[in-house]
């Protein structure tokens, strides 16, 4: 039986990176000790941000419903969806399947909560930011959100879609933006899997939601985590 099912393709390069991180961070001494996993690279999935902003959720949900059905037939034990924006629909996902779906957003907020930091800033797509999906869980767990300016939100959105279009991973502009918000009292949440591809300086206080998803994917698959860098 396959332990982990992955609904990917949002975007494809981020899905490749997620799979690589799972492999590199699983404690294994040989092939047979790695996780049995199915990756559905559903690249033609409707754009999540457009579906949220234009109120076209049915279009997206009908597409991902088919992926849940495939994974149900295969018999996976947990599902990872390496796309922050898609988790706006998490409650809808639970109505579509009985599979255990890792809640990437909630798990990330819990990770910040454990660190003792009280404030967060969120960096992701306009779909993620405008839907306030992170704010929902931040409020539930007692974290304060330091707002990112509209100018910087749009700049981050442009960086994300430039990565999707060109695979250009130049991080200088994004690093400059992070430095405006992240400090000892505020952790920046890397809330888009395209942004997770960038090489973020270690001295900037951030938590990468993709790393959180990697960790929980490994744990729920019954394996041990070797090391996941935040």
């Amino acid at each position: 039986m396959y332990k982990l099912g992955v609904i990917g393709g949002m975007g494809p390069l981020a899905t490749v990176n997620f799979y690589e991180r799972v492999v590199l961070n699983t404690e294994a001494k040989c092939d047979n000790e790695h996780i049995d996993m199915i990756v559905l690279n559903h690249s033609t999935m409707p754009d999540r941000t457009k579906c949220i902003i234009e109120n076209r959720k049915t279009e997206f949900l009908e597409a991902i419903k088919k992926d849940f059905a495939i994974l149900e037939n295969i018999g996976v034990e947990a599902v990872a969806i390496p796309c922050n924006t898609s988790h706006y629909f998490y409650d809808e996902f639970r109505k579509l399947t009985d599979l255990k779906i890792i809640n990437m957003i909630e798990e990330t907020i819990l990770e910040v909560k454990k660190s003792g930091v009280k404030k967060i800033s969120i960096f992701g797509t306009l779909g993620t930011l405008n839907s306030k999906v992170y704010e929902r869980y931040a409020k539930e767990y007692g974290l304060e959100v330091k707002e990112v300016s509209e100018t910087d939100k749009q700049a981050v959105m442009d960086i994300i879609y430039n990565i999707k279009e060109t695979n250009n991973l130049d991080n200088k502009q994004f690093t400059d933006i992070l430095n405006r918000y992240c400090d000892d009292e505020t952790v920046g949440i890397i809330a888009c899997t395209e942004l997770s591809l960038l090489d973020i300086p270690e001295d900037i206080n951030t938590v990468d939601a993709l790393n959180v998803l990697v960790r929980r994917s490994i744990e729920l698959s019954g394996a041990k985590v070797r090391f996941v860098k935040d």
Side-chain angles (χ1 to χ4, degrees):
M1 177 182 288
Y2 289 94
K3 296 287 185 179
L4 183 67
V6 181
I7 301 178
M10 304 175 278
L13 189 59
T15 301
V16 171
N17 187 253
F18 170 78
Y19 177 68
E20 181 179 45
R21 292 190 194 193
V22 170
V23 172
L24 292 176
N25 291 289
T26 300
E27 190 172 295
K29 296 178 181 178
C30 62
D31 295 347
N32 304 90
E33 293 180 359
H34 280 278
I35 296 166
D36 289 332
M37 165 186 335
I38 290 288
V39 179
L40 303 180
N41 195 60
H42 194 162
S43 300
T44 57
M45 191 80 75
D47 185 280
R48 283 64 60 199
T49 293
K50 289 182 179 179
C51 286
I52 292 170
I53 292 175
E54 298 173 8
N55 195 26
R56 291 160 38 202
K57 72 174 186 178
T58 301
E59 182 180 344
F60 174 73
L61 291 172
E62 285 299 320
I64 202 168
K65 180 180 180 180
K66 297 174 183 178
D67 293 335
F68 288 133
I70 292 170
L71 295 177
E72 285 173 353
N73 289 333
I74 292 170
V76 302
E77 295 183 6
V79 177
I81 307 175
C83 171
N84 288 263
T85 308
S86 71
H87 283 69
Y88 168 76
F89 302 101
Y90 184 82
D91 291 340
E92 300 292 335
F93 293 163
R94 300 303 303 124
K95 299 174 185 176
L96 297 176
T97 182
D98 291 327
L99 292 169
K100 166 65 179 177
I101 305 169
I102 303 168
N103 190 330
M104 185 182 194
I105 311 298
E106 184 173 23
E107 293 288 352
T108 300
I109 292 295
L110 287 170
E111 191 74 15
V112 175
K113 180 77 172 177
K114 285 191 299 183
S115 74
V117 176
K118 302 295 185 182
K119 296 180 182 180
I120 61 172
S121 283
I122 306 151
F123 303 92
T125 66
L126 293 178
T128 296
L129 300 180
N130 291 347
S131 67
K132 297 191 178 298
V133 62
Y134 268 96
E135 282 85 346
R136 168 187 167 187
Y137 290 101
K139 181 178 181 180
E140 181 177 345
Y141 293 104
L143 298 180
E144 178 184 343
V145 177
K146 182 194 290 187
E147 284 291 335
V148 176
S149 73
E150 293 301 320
T151 299
D152 285 336
K153 286 180 182 179
Q154 186 59 56
V156 171
M157 185 71 168
D158 292 342
I159 291 168
I160 291 166
Y161 277 80
N162 183 61
I163 293 171
K164 289 179 180 290
E165 180 180 351
T166 69
N167 294 328
N168 180 2
L169 301 181
D170 177 18
N171 69 333
K172 184 182 185 306
Q173 184 184 9
F174 185 53
T175 298
D176 290 342
I177 293 171
L178 288 174
N179 277 321
R180 286 199 279 275
Y181 300 92
C182 303
D183 51 38
D184 291 341
E185 296 182 351
T186 305
V187 62
I189 295 181
I190 309 304
C192 176
T193 50
E194 269 73 40
L195 298 177
S196 298
L197 297 168
L198 301 177
D199 186 14
I200 297 169
E202 293 185 11
D203 61 346
I204 302 178
N205 189 13
T206 62
V207 169
D208 188 344
L210 187 62
N211 277 343
V212 176
L213 182 63
V214 167
R215 184 183 299 113
R216 290 299 290 142
S217 296
I218 295 170
E219 292 169 346
L220 288 173
S221 299
K224 292 183 179 180
V225 179
R226 187 195 306 274
F227 173 74
V228 175
K229 176 184 172 184
D230 284 323

